Amino acid sequence: MSERQLEIGQRVRVVQQVPRQSGPHVAVVEGEVVSFGFGKTGSWFAHSKDRKLWVERVELRKADGELVTLNLDQYSRVELVDDGSEDAA
């Protein structure tokens, strides 16, 4: 899923992997989308907009209210979470 498909208020699960020699380290965060888009880092990177490195970010509100900002990369997967809100009539 790309950031263009995200909507504020959606429940999502973000699965991120960090490649390691002994196998990937996997982290999973689930929550409601608060914001998403591209933001610049404090790192300098030549020939990019404003001479900064821009990264794709998503901010989530977890079930306990904690706000989490995640930088998305090629090892990140964003999945929609079925919250079961569709009632059978």
Side-chain angles (χ1 to χ4, degrees), residues 16-31:
Q16 296 185 303
Q17 297 185 46
V18 177
R20 302 181 305 173
Q21 186 174 5
S22 61
H25 170 75
V26 179
V28 180
V29 178
E30 191 171 307

Side-chain angles (χ1 to χ4, degrees), residues 33-86:
V33 176
V34 175
S35 66
F36 59 90
F38 285 88
K40 59 183 168 181
T41 68
S43 301
W44 173 85
F45 190 73
H47 310 296
S48 61
K49 185 176 179 183
D50 294 338
R51 296 189 172 276
K52 296 290 181 177
L53 177 63
W54 288 71
V55 294
E56 188 174 13
R57 291 191 172 126
V58 62
E59 184 176 18
L60 302 179
R61 178 175 287 112
K62 293 171 51 173
D64 64 2
E66 178 183 2
L67 292 174
V68 179
T69 301
L70 302 165
N71 293 329
L72 304 179
D73 62 10
Q74 70 269 27
Y75 302 110
S76 302
R77 187 173 71 241
V78 180
E79 307 167 344
L80 290 177
V81 174
D82 180 17
D83 60 6
S85 63
E86 294 181 26

